[in-house]
Amino acid sequence: MAEIEALIKALSGHGVDEKTVISILGNSQPEHRQAFRKEGGFFAEDERRFERWNDHHVKLLKHEFMRFKNAVVLWAMHPWERDARLIKEALKKGPNSNSVIVEIASTRSSDELLGARKAYHSLFEHSIEEDVASHIHGKEKKLLVALVSAYRYEGPKIKEDVAKSEAKALISAVKNAEKQNPIENDEVVRILSTRSKPHLKSVFKHYKEIAGQHFEDELDVHLILQAAVQCLITPQSYFSRVLDEAMRDGADKNTKKGLTRVLVTRADVDIRAISDDYRNHYAIPLADKIEAKAKGSYKEFLLTLMARGS
Amino acid sequence: MATLVAPVQHSHIEDAKALYKACKGWGTDEKAVISILGHRTAAQRQQIRLAYQNLYQEDLVKRLESELSGAFEKAVYRWILEPADRDAVLANVAIKKACPDYHVIIEIACVHSPEELLAVRRAYQLSYKLSLEEDVAAHTTGDLRKLLVALVSVLRYDGPEINARLAKSEADILEDAIKNKAFNHEEVIRILTTRSKAQLMATFNRYRDDCGTSITKSLLREGDQVNEFAAALRTAIRCINNSNKYYEKIIRNAIKGAGTDEDALTRVIVTRAEKDLKVIKEVYYKRNSVTLEQAVAKDTSGDYNAFLLTLLGKAD
């Protein structure tokens, strides 16, 4: 039935199309709902002969209904508290969320990261660095601790000769990847976590010139290391990739959260640039993609954030 | 407690004028410089600098640099800078030495409160157009670099909360590492460079309860005096645990024997005169049975001597 399809669609995706749910489900008679239960896929035939809600689906629905609320709460939050809470959540979720920690540590300004560190003290009575150091155990630990501890110089001054020699150090670390994963290489960690962003742009420019290819295209580079470099040098590309992955069909729960996180954290910063990058990369305007994939109040909220002031 | 004796009311304009007079012409009236600057708080000194700049279109610091010399000049230069700028200068001097004086870097990183260390990092960026951690990292290598960069980068939680269970488990980790002489073990570095000071002190206490000896003594014994990294750990621990005792030892070592390590002596007196030099004096007296003033008077001379004694609280 067309209506059942419409109802299923209203309940699938990012957020919930409340209007459609109200108009279809709210107007439904018992036999309509039964048809929905039999065909929707959200229910299963119970041994005692009734169509029973699939618990897992109820949970998923809960997340979808909460998506709007979470976006609102995150948006209203002070950026420092927001970043502190995002980092804490990422730590709790485990290694798959390590990229979120990299994202926050690397794309914020020095003072924004500092503020997040202080807010973390207030919220959790520990420092970010101590929690990251004690909860993360993989190869990426060194780099992550260093990235969250950074207080980068933000002036434009670059020493080209230093940048060149540091590019060479990175090349040698990548060449040596079989003996030691570059993400654990002390020089790689030092360069990425202490140098200013303008300096790093120059380092990677030299890298490309000397090695003949971009650092991110090297095969043996740990995903987290790639993410760090992207976040530091070309954050807009990084963010548009996160958005694309979030809106892909079949994206898992944590990946989907990227949509809210990027929109809310970048709406005041560089969402237009991210939008442009998105359109260049994925051949569809970001707003159109959100229109297609998100639903209801959640969708309206995100689109409103994007359109502010224009 | 501070040893600095400074008037509550002062006219920075009068002071600036008096300093100008002291520097004008041939020679310098060092006594006037000492009697004014040696009796002014950090805030007052900055006001004087500002007044001097406005009156004479010249930086008082540069004027004094050119008028004074030797250990006295170094001491006055450090004294007249704002605390954060001063520490940034001290850190930079330590880093740029042929053999970086990492003990000074550890001292600055570990004695200060998190906010104070942050101020030093900002001042460093302003003065040197690099971050402190960048410079430290670029001038050190290996395990020492790991330790130093982490120490200067951390923003420790500064609350009093202690987790006793964690103190026990981390004291155990430290005990194992030290027994196995694995001082540079990443867990050792992690604990020392990320935990809050309150938590660390609880951990060190637990260590002493469990091992019967303090962690610094263990490091000394297991590390021999030769292991540089173990020595660095000891410095960090001593600074975190009891900075007054640490400073007393620095001064004692600076004074004892032939010659005086004026850099060290100046550093301690100038950086602590407005903080806890009084406590350090008491510790010094208890340990050495002479007052710090007596020891300094015996070991230094001239204007340098007079300046240090003034900062130590001597009445004019």
Side-chain angles (χ1 to χ4, degrees):
Chain A
M1 258 196 83
E3 284 207 332
I4 294 181
E5 271 177 47
L7 184 55
I8 294 173
K9 193 152 170 263
L11 294 169
S12 319
H14 293 251
V16 172
D17 180 353
E18 300 99 348
K19 287 201 174 66
T20 302
V21 169
I22 292 170
S23 86
I24 296 181
L25 208 50
N27 272 319
S28 65
Q29 295 301 325
E31 57 271 20
H32 300 137
R33 265 163 283 136
Q34 182 172 59
F36 171 58
R37 285 194 298 272
K38 282 201 183 305
E39 287 176 53
F42 294 153
F43 299 78
E45 179 80 21
D46 183 272
E47 59 176 318
R48 293 185 175 82
R49 316 269 243 106
F50 66 98
E51 308 90 22
R52 179 185 160 168
W53 257 116
N54 184 327
D55 283 335
H56 178 65
H57 253 114
V58 174
K59 256 210 196 116
L60 289 180
L61 264 189
K62 183 179 95 164
H63 287 309
E64 295 311 335
F65 273 99
M66 285 217 308
R67 219 172 274 279
F68 175 46
K69 163 239 166 205
N70 289 337
V72 168
V73 169
L74 206 63
W75 175 245
M77 234 181 242
H78 192 293
W80 294 356
E81 178 178 354
R82 183 191 299 158
D83 283 344
R85 287 195 187 277
L86 285 171
I87 290 180
K88 180 63 151 176
E89 190 189 18
L91 274 172
K92 277 209 207 132
K93 292 227 161 11
N96 286 334
S97 297
N98 285 350
S99 58
V100 174
I101 300 175
V102 171
E103 177 183 309
I104 294 176
S106 311
T107 59
R108 308 313 192 234
S109 75
S110 292
D111 282 327
E112 286 168 347
L113 179 57
L114 199 58
R117 290 164 82 179
K118 290 187 190 174
Y120 197 95
H121 287 189
S122 297
L123 294 166
F124 307 113
E125 291 174 355
H126 286 283
S127 60
I128 294 180
E129 45 269 53
E130 87 184 272
D131 277 355
V132 170
S134 58
H135 285 87
I136 293 188
H137 301 291
K139 292 192 163 58
E140 58 266 40
K141 169 176 163 165
K142 249 197 252 185
L143 179 63
L144 254 49
V145 174
L147 286 176
V148 300
S149 309
Y151 186 55
R152 295 175 205 266
Y153 170 62
E154 292 191 310
K157 189 160 118 94
I158 302 172
K159 287 204 188 95
E160 288 294 346
D161 51 338
V162 176
K164 208 171 181 183
S165 79
E166 291 184 340
K168 293 197 179 135
L170 292 178
I171 290 174
S172 134
V174 170
K175 277 217 179 83
N176 220 11
E178 278 178 26
K179 296 214 189 89
Q180 182 193 45
N181 193 318
I183 202 176
E184 292 193 290
N185 179 297
D186 283 342
E187 281 291 273
V188 173
V189 172
R190 170 185 73 80
I191 294 167
L192 286 185
S193 65
T194 63
R195 292 301 186 195
S196 73
K197 291 178 185 177
H199 179 95
L200 285 172
K201 282 199 170 71
S202 177
V203 169
F204 286 100
K205 183 188 78 176
H206 285 291
Y207 188 100
K208 170 96 195 322
E209 281 168 16
I210 302 173
Q213 68 173 355
H214 287 293
F215 183 79
E216 304 91 275
D217 295 333
E218 298 280 9
L219 290 173
D220 296 309
V221 177
H222 194 294
L223 285 176
I224 288 292
L225 187 51
Q226 279 187 32
V229 174
Q230 263 208 313
C231 285
L232 288 164
I233 313 290
T234 51
Q236 285 94 28
S237 313
Y238 172 81
F239 283 123
S240 69
R241 179 166 61 81
V242 171
L243 288 169
D244 180 65
E245 284 171 4
M247 288 188 277
R248 258 185 229 166
D249 290 331
D252 69 66
K253 192 175 72 164
N254 290 329
T255 311
K256 276 173 98 169
K257 283 177 150 188
L259 179 56
T260 304
R261 187 179 72 246
V262 174
L263 259 302
V264 166
T265 57
R266 309 311 286 181
D268 285 331
V269 187
D270 53 2
I271 195 66
R272 286 199 206 295
I274 294 172
S275 214
D276 290 339
D277 188 287
Y278 188 92
R279 194 195 15 239
N280 290 339
H281 256 102
Y282 303 104
I284 171 178
L286 179 59
D288 289 0
K289 185 78 175 191
I290 295 177
E291 178 68 55
K293 292 289 180 177
K295 311 232 175 295
S297 307
Y298 176 63
K299 176 185 74 175
E300 305 239 5
F301 190 62
L302 293 185
L303 292 176
T304 308
L305 293 189
M306 274 187 71
R308 276 172 323 138
S310 62
Chain B
M1 279 217 58
T3 51
L4 179 71
V5 179
V8 174
Q9 295 260 49
H10 81 117
S11 159
H12 38 274
I13 299 192
E14 291 307 314
D15 284 341
K17 286 188 177 161
L19 285 167
Y20 182 76
K21 213 171 122 206
C23 295
K24 189 170 66 169
W26 290 110
T28 318
D29 182 356
E30 287 94 351
K31 283 197 176 31
V33 171
I34 295 174
S35 89
I36 298 174
L37 290 177
H39 289 292
R40 298 291 182 270
T41 65
Q44 291 169 332
R45 299 195 300 272
Q46 300 320 311
Q47 284 181 310
I48 296 172
R49 271 177 82 177
L50 212 55
Y52 194 93
Q53 177 75 41
N54 288 338
L55 285 168
Y56 308 110
Q57 279 75 52
E58 188 186 35
D59 185 354
L60 174 59
V61 176
K62 295 236 166 353
R63 167 56 59 184
L64 290 171
E65 266 186 295
S66 64
E67 296 281 329
L68 311 175
S69 61
F72 177 48
E73 183 271 318
K74 272 196 188 159
V76 172
Y77 176 72
R78 280 149 179 64
W79 177 244
I80 199 172
L81 291 177
E82 274 186 289
D85 288 326
R86 175 196 302 153
D87 285 316
V89 167
L90 290 171
N92 187 260
V93 166
I95 292 171
K96 293 293 161 64
K97 285 203 175 129
C99 228
D101 194 347
Y102 57 86
H103 289 291
V104 173
I105 301 170
I106 296 174
E107 179 186 306
I108 292 174
C110 294
V111 172
H112 282 123
S113 75
E115 280 295 334
E116 287 169 343
L117 178 55
L118 211 47
V120 175
R121 290 167 79 179
R122 286 204 187 98
Y124 199 94
Q125 284 191 9
L126 238 61
S127 298
Y128 303 107
K129 307 284 181 262
L130 278 178
S131 68
L132 176 56
E133 54 268 34
E134 247 182 298
D135 240 356
V136 168
H139 287 85
T140 51
T141 55
D143 293 323
L144 212 47
R145 174 206 279 178
K146 277 188 217 164
L147 179 67
L148 291 174
V149 171
L151 284 177
V152 302
S153 308
V154 67
L155 185 73
R156 294 186 203 264
Y157 173 60
D158 55 3
E161 293 85 348
I162 294 172
N163 180 325
R165 202 175 36 84
L166 193 61
K168 164 91 180 114
S169 72
E170 293 191 338
D172 285 343
I173 293 173
L174 293 173
E175 189 185 339
D176 278 336
I178 293 177
K179 260 203 210 113
N180 296 324
K181 300 205 200 265
F183 310 117
N184 59 350
H185 194 283
E186 55 172 63
E187 282 288 270
V188 174
I189 298 180
R190 169 185 72 75
I191 294 168
L192 282 184
T193 64
T194 64
R195 292 300 183 200
S196 73
K197 288 189 181 177
Q199 182 67 33
L200 281 175
M201 298 201 342
T203 305
F204 299 149
N205 285 335
R206 188 64 209 240
Y207 184 101
R208 200 181 45 240
D209 290 342
D210 288 346
C211 301
T213 176
S214 75
I215 184 172
T216 44
K217 282 213 174 61
S218 299
L219 278 168
L220 189 56
R221 190 177 53 217
E222 300 292 342
D224 313 317
Q225 251 115 337
V226 190
N227 187 318
E228 202 184 35
F229 190 75
L233 291 181
R234 287 185 66 229
T235 301
I237 294 170
R238 294 174 66 224
C239 284
I240 291 170
N241 218 2
N242 188 332
S243 61
N244 297 318
K245 267 180 76 178
Y246 166 82
Y247 279 124
E248 182 276 325
K249 187 148 191 221
I250 296 284
I251 294 181
R252 181 166 23 106
N253 287 340
I255 292 183
K256 84 171 173 213
T260 313
D261 181 352
E262 287 156 349
D263 276 349
L265 188 58
T266 299
R267 184 177 83 243
V268 177
I269 292 180
V270 162
T271 58
R272 309 314 288 178
E274 290 175 273
K275 302 211 130 207
D276 52 10
L277 193 52
K278 199 157 192 198
V279 182
I280 299 172
K281 279 206 305 192
E282 287 161 19
V283 176
Y284 189 89
Y285 182 68
K286 270 211 192 91
R287 171 70 176 67
N288 302 292
S289 303
V290 286
T291 65
L292 182 51
E293 289 92 321
Q294 288 170 305
V296 165
K298 225 173 86 154
D299 231 61
T300 59
S301 60
D303 300 313
Y304 179 55
N305 176 331
F307 186 56
L308 291 185
L309 290 177
T310 306
L311 293 188
L312 281 164
K314 186 181 84 124
D316 265 347

